[in-house]
Amino acid sequence: MSAVYINSAACISVQDTLNENFFQNLQPENSVQIVKAIEPNYKEFIPPAASRRMSKTVKMSTVSSQYALKEAEIEKPDAIIVGTGMGCSQDSEKFLKNVLENNEEFLTPTYFIQSTHNTVAGQIALGLQCHAYNFTYVNTSSSLEFSFLDAKFQINDGEAENVLVGSTDEQTDRTMELYKLNSTIKKEEDFPVNYINSKTDGVVWGEGASFFILGKDKTENSYAQLKDIQLSNKLDLKETQQFIEGFLSKNNLKNDEIDAVILGFSGDKRSDAYYTKAMDLFSNSSLLYYKHLSGEFNTASGFSTFIACHILKDQEIPEVMMINDLKKKEIKNILLYNHLGGNDHSLVLLEKA
């Protein structure tokens, strides 16, 4: 397969990631159940009349995609691919609420039309007047990784040269209530959260949108080369190291050739055991974590990919992300490992461009 490069990266998250100096201002959060994204002034990017009809995830995605396209100096991509776990759940909840309150009568179709998962990719295409390949992946915590794989195939097969790839998920009041009831979200008495050595179940829930331009050609502004991706829906804890070592072997890499490993520690005692197993393989690598900065959500790996791109480009690791104190002189290879609640495991290998 030919090389595929990440030529731009943009992110709206719990951190002020649209700010150029966000690296120096990362603030961990370990004392609340739910953390909300820092949103821009949408009036600067979206006409107010259109903005009023958009859910939060559509607005976040529209702005972050605009940032990604502008940075890569591309007006229209050859394909738009979006990964999302929950989709436009705000509009889904509004529609269902109207069904109940109006006894299934006199319903306006707007919320229903805008509640589908592919609304985000469609709205971006409409805004760009882009009639190219348009696809949405809904694969819980692997949604972005499946999107990356598709984009990689599109480029390698000669179907596209520049692909807009994104991930997005939003919070909704009712879903957050349910997550508290079934203990997906950590109980109040379990705060503050110890993300690395947690003794309790549950997570801090976040949200955000991350968009990237994947290109066939390396540019002056390229962040990284997307080397490889591997996915596994189910994985026994004892298979974790074999899963990772097989992936590295496939890419002709030894463990100590991985300069930094970004792990998805979420503070959930049960599922974080996979990351603890993974750490044992990398005694000569910088070990990093990130969900104390982003919160846990279906496409939180978009935040880690965005951070990894900046680490490779700037050759700098934020202290607030470090698990150990090992730093290499040059950061060439970064491995990202993520899952959600012990399911849908993904490995992404990035190399310095």
Side-chain angles (χ1 to χ4, degrees):
M1 285 189 176
S2 59
V4 174
Y5 295 94
I6 300 177
N7 292 332
S8 72
C11 180
I12 292 175
S13 69
V14 170
Q15 305 296 323
D16 191 12
T17 35
L18 288 181
N19 189 320
E20 288 184 2
N21 299 318
F22 79 92
F23 240 42
Q24 287 73 44
N25 301 307
L26 292 170
Q27 297 293 326
E29 182 54 76
N30 67 350
S31 57
V32 296
Q33 292 176 299
I34 298 165
V35 283
K36 294 189 177 294
I38 297 173
E39 298 177 86
N41 182 0
Y42 291 121
K43 291 179 182 178
E44 296 176 10
F45 305 93
I46 309 167
S51 180
R52 282 194 294 272
R53 295 192 299 272
M54 291 180 175
S55 67
K56 188 176 186 177
T57 195
V58 174
K59 288 190 283 190
M60 290 192 299
S61 301
T62 299
V63 173
S64 49
S65 64
Q66 286 182 23
Y67 267 86
L69 288 163
K70 185 178 179 182
E71 185 183 9
E73 298 180 349
I74 290 171
E75 290 186 10
K76 285 186 185 180
D78 301 315
I80 298 171
I81 306 173
V82 174
T84 180
M86 301 291 286
C88 299
S89 44
Q90 279 186 6
D91 284 326
S92 299
E93 285 191 7
K94 287 176 183 176
F95 176 73
L96 292 171
K97 187 179 179 184
N98 281 350
V99 170
L100 292 170
E101 290 178 349
N102 295 291
N103 297 313
E104 303 181 22
E105 296 178 336
F106 315 117
L107 300 172
T108 56
T110 309
Y111 290 139
F112 177 73
I113 294 166
Q114 294 179 343
S115 70
T116 57
H117 286 71
N118 60 355
T119 299
V120 174
Q123 288 279 13
I124 292 170
L126 282 169
L128 296 173
Q129 290 297 293
C130 177
H131 303 285
Y133 178 87
N134 190 293
F135 209 86
T136 300
Y137 284 90
V138 187
N139 298 82
T140 62
S141 63
S142 299
S143 299
L144 174 63
E145 289 76 9
F146 274 102
S147 302
F148 275 147
L149 269 178
D150 190 353
K152 211 170 186 295
F153 290 141
Q154 294 282 328
I155 292 169
N156 286 327
D157 292 344
E159 297 290 332
E161 290 190 7
N162 294 289
V163 181
L164 177 65
V165 181
S167 63
T168 182
D169 275 299
E170 66 187 1
Q171 298 164 355
T172 57
D173 294 339
R174 182 59 179 153
T175 303
M176 294 303 101
E177 288 172 11
L178 294 171
Y179 279 0
K180 288 177 183 177
L181 286 172
N182 72 2
S183 299
T184 296
I185 291 175
K186 203 174 281 291
K187 290 180 170 62
E188 288 185 355
E189 59 264 29
D190 294 333
F191 287 90
V193 182
N194 183 334
Y195 280 86
I196 305 302
N197 297 300
S198 178
K199 305 293 186 220
T200 58
D201 297 331
V203 302
V204 173
W205 203 261
E207 61 182 351
S210 304
F211 276 77
F212 310 88
I213 292 291
L214 266 58
K216 182 182 76 171
D217 300 318
K218 181 181 175 181
T219 69
E220 290 181 4
N221 297 319
S222 292
Y223 286 86
Q225 184 179 341
L226 179 60
K227 292 290 287 184
D228 200 7
I229 298 165
Q230 188 159 318
L231 304 160
S232 178
N233 174 243
K234 296 287 184 183
L235 199 67
D236 286 337
L237 185 59
K238 62 179 180 291
E239 296 173 336
T240 308
Q241 295 185 354
Q242 183 183 345
F243 175 59
I244 295 170
E245 288 184 317
F247 178 68
L248 295 180
S249 176
K250 176 185 163 191
N251 286 280
N252 300 312
L253 286 170
K254 296 176 182 175
N255 296 24
D256 58 4
E257 291 179 295
I258 299 296
D259 303 302
V261 183
I262 303 182
L263 302 161
F265 278 102
S266 64
D268 177 54
K269 179 185 70 175
R270 291 170 298 180
S271 59
D272 280 351
Y274 287 95
Y275 300 125
T276 305
K277 279 281 187 187
M279 280 201 304
D280 294 339
L281 293 174
F282 299 102
S283 57
N284 294 314
S285 306
S286 297
L287 299 173
L288 315 177
Y289 69 125
Y290 66 94
K291 286 177 183 171
H292 62 310
L293 303 173
S294 68
E296 174 71 285
F297 56 101
N298 284 269
T299 50
S301 60
F303 180 86
S304 68
T305 307
F306 173 77
I307 290 283
C309 286
H310 279 275
I311 289 172
L312 285 169
K313 192 170 188 178
D314 302 339
Q315 291 293 292
E316 179 187 353
I317 296 174
E319 294 288 339
V320 72
M321 292 181 66
M322 298 200 67
I323 298 172
N324 61 359
D325 57 2
L326 195 154
K327 284 187 180 180
K328 293 192 176 180
K329 289 182 180 179
E330 182 187 15
I331 305 165
K332 185 181 178 185
N333 295 306
I334 294 183
L335 178 69
L336 290 80
Y337 176 30
N338 185 57
H339 61 73
L340 180 64
N343 297 315
D344 297 301
H345 300 256
S346 65
L347 296 171
V348 177
L349 179 62
L350 300 179
E351 184 183 285
K352 182 182 175 185

